[in-house]
Amino acid sequence: MTEPWTVGVEQEFLLVDPESRRPVPLAESVAQHAGAGYDVQRELTPFQIEVATPVCGTAEELAEQVLAGRVHLAKAAHAAGCRLLASAIPPIGTLGPPPGTDDPRYRMMEHSHRKVIGGQGVCGMHVHVGVPDQDVAIKVSNALRPWLPTLLALSANSPIEHAEDTGYASWRSIVWSRWPISGPPPHLGSADEYDRLVRALEGTEVLLDQGMVYWDVRPSVQHPTVEVRVSDIPLTARDAIVIAEIIRAFARTAAESGEPERVDDVLLRAAYWRAARDGVDGLAVDPRTGNLVPARDLVSELVSWCGGALADASALSTVEDHVTWLGAHGSGAARQRRAFGGSPDARGLVDLVLAETVRAAD
């Protein structure tokens, strides 16, 4: 049984060739080299690999495990003849055409969802927070809805595709939004209502199973957790740790607060689009008001709202210091853009991301 307010993180990465910097389908070899000491999983395509932390109770443990997973996978990738890249889309090259992952479920997805599945080998980060029960998970989901665009903006790390600037800080989120059940979850009254809705969607065959509920927050199918899936794979371990700690603190604060306010679905979608385009370095739509405000103001408000829980987890100073650092250096997307510089050859950008993927926090 997972204890309430513990946290675990799943990180998805690309595998790229050390010479061309293009994606290579070596996930099976990397997993074999990784061995059994870490929770390593294959992903939608053989160009991707995932590592999950154990369930973590303390901020120190989480920080150690997030970085250790990256370093271990990077070593396994090197042994397999490729490199581990913390970018949510490939800056150079593509993820196809298949071979896709040789898994019957993925073959069924290819049959049922057809061209939607093409190019979906994008990389995110999923954060699991232990909750007392599924009704608390739904309460957290409802409370988190207005803040999902802010978390997306904080994590944005996919501006360059095919060695071209997409104009978006998180192109991954735009690509991923093609799935029929994705983006912000609906405001729900209970875990029973969630279960009834999912069963109805399975009946329509929009979903093959509960694992295809790709909303950015959901009660976990396999664990007593609420799972938050809104983030790009962050550029650095420090970025990932800070986002995970904010999510954990938010979950605890929301569970101990009154009923969350409800926001308009249209405004929330607009806030998502603006967050995907401009990230944390621009303006944002506040879905509670519909007003345009600096994205960093919403980040500060979010951190302040759950500051007590962050302090209890001994994570407040880490989060505040990193938010200040982001103000000076920019998000992962901004750092990728600076390295890219509009050059037709994005190899320098890939080399920066390779180095940042396993860089220890300052």
Side-chain angles (χ1 to χ4, degrees), residues 165-234:
D165 194 325
T166 65
Y168 284 77
S170 174
W171 187 241
R172 174 206 63 89
S173 64
I174 301 299
V175 171
W176 193 253
S177 68
R178 292 184 296 186
W179 289 105
I181 308 300
S182 62
H187 189 107
L188 296 166
S190 66
D192 286 343
E193 183 181 354
Y194 174 87
D195 290 339
R196 288 194 299 271
L197 181 57
V198 171
R199 286 196 298 270
L201 290 168
E202 288 179 304
T204 68
E205 298 183 357
V206 170
L207 302 179
L208 299 181
D209 51 45
Q210 290 190 52
M212 283 189 69
V213 176
Y214 292 146
W215 285 320
D216 286 335
V217 192
R218 67 182 187 184
S220 174
V221 175
Q222 298 178 330
H223 308 287
T225 65
V226 59
E227 181 183 6
V228 182
R229 307 162 46 88
V230 70
S231 299
D232 281 10
I233 180 64

Side-chain angles (χ1 to χ4, degrees), residues 9-13 49-53 65-67 69-70 73 123-126 233-234 236-237 240 357:
V9 175
E10 300 168 354
Q11 301 180 88
E12 300 168 352
F13 300 94
I49 197 79
E50 175 188 291
V51 64
T53 70
Q65 292 295 332
V66 166
L67 180 59
R70 287 178 172 230
L73 265 192
C123 295
M125 179 178 75
H126 304 166
I233 180 64
T236 69
T357 297

Side-chain angles (χ1 to χ4, degrees), residues 16 85 180 218 223 283 329 358:
V16 298
L85 191 75
R218 67 182 187 184
H223 308 287
L283 294 176
H329 297 87
V358 294

Side-chain angles (χ1 to χ4, degrees), residues 16-339:
V16 298
D17 181 83
E19 297 299 325
S20 70
R21 280 77 158 181
R22 294 173 178 269
V24 287
L26 292 177
E28 186 62 38
S29 178
V30 173
Q32 291 176 2
H33 282 286
Y38 285 77
D39 185 1
V40 174
Q41 302 291 331
R42 286 70 162 177
E43 268 300 318
L44 188 63
T45 78
F47 305 91
Q48 301 165 276
I49 197 79
E50 175 188 291
V51 64
T53 70
V55 176
C56 299
T58 68
E60 182 180 12
E61 183 182 9
L62 177 67
E64 290 175 354
Q65 292 295 332
V66 166
L67 180 59
R70 287 178 172 230
V71 170
H72 183 76
L73 265 192
K75 291 178 179 177
H78 196 280
C82 58
R83 300 293 183 266
L84 191 74
L85 191 75
S87 181
I89 56 173
I92 305 175
T94 66
L95 293 169
T101 298
D102 189 17
D103 179 280
R105 180 172 178 270
Y106 289 142
R107 296 305 183 196
M108 289 178 63
M109 290 167 66
E110 287 176 331
H111 174 73
S112 64
H113 288 71
R114 303 173 188 181
K115 195 169 179 61
V116 165
I117 203 169
Q120 289 288 352
V122 293
C123 295
M125 179 178 75
H126 304 166
V127 178
H128 289 260
V129 179
V131 293
D133 55 53
Q134 297 289 60
D135 280 318
V136 172
I138 294 300
K139 183 179 181 182
V140 171
S141 175
N142 289 340
L144 197 52
R145 289 175 81 243
W147 298 103
L148 289 170
T150 301
L151 291 171
L152 173 60
L154 267 175
S155 73
N157 187 39
S158 49
I160 310 300
E161 184 183 45
H162 305 311
E164 294 181 357
D165 194 325
T166 65
Y168 284 77
S170 174
W171 187 241
R172 174 206 63 89
S173 64
I174 301 299
V175 171
W176 193 253
S177 68
R178 292 184 296 186
W179 289 105
I181 308 300
S182 62
H187 189 107
L188 296 166
S190 66
D192 286 343
E193 183 181 354
Y194 174 87
D195 290 339
R196 288 194 299 271
L197 181 57
V198 171
R199 286 196 298 270
L201 290 168
E202 288 179 304
T204 68
E205 298 183 357
V206 170
L207 302 179
L208 299 181
D209 51 45
Q210 290 190 52
M212 283 189 69
V213 176
Y214 292 146
W215 285 320
D216 286 335
V217 192
R218 67 182 187 184
S220 174
V221 175
Q222 298 178 330
H223 308 287
T225 65
V226 59
E227 181 183 6
V228 182
R229 307 162 46 88
V230 70
S231 299
D232 281 10
I233 180 64
L235 180 59
T236 69
R238 180 69 172 265
D239 292 316
I241 292 157
V242 164
I243 292 167
E245 287 291 5
I246 290 173
I247 290 170
R248 169 163 62 167
F250 186 98
R252 181 172 183 176
T253 305
E256 296 171 353
S257 301
E259 285 302 309
E261 63 181 311
R262 193 164 186 158
V263 296
D264 184 87
D265 289 345
V266 175
L267 286 176
L268 183 55
R269 277 290 187 181
Y272 257 77
W273 176 82
R274 189 81 191 212
R277 195 189 74 173
D278 294 349
V280 77
D281 303 303
L283 294 176
V285 175
D286 185 339
R288 300 166 300 174
T289 65
N291 295 331
L292 275 177
V293 297
R296 296 187 191 284
D297 288 357
L298 292 179
V299 172
S300 296
E301 185 179 348
L302 173 60
V303 172
S304 177
W305 189 76
C306 57
L310 284 168
D312 288 346
S314 301
L316 181 58
S317 62
T318 297
V319 170
E320 290 180 334
D321 288 349
H322 189 66
V323 170
T324 300
W325 187 92
L326 285 175
H329 297 87
S331 65
R335 284 173 268 165
Q336 282 207 37
R337 277 199 172 106
R338 284 200 300 271

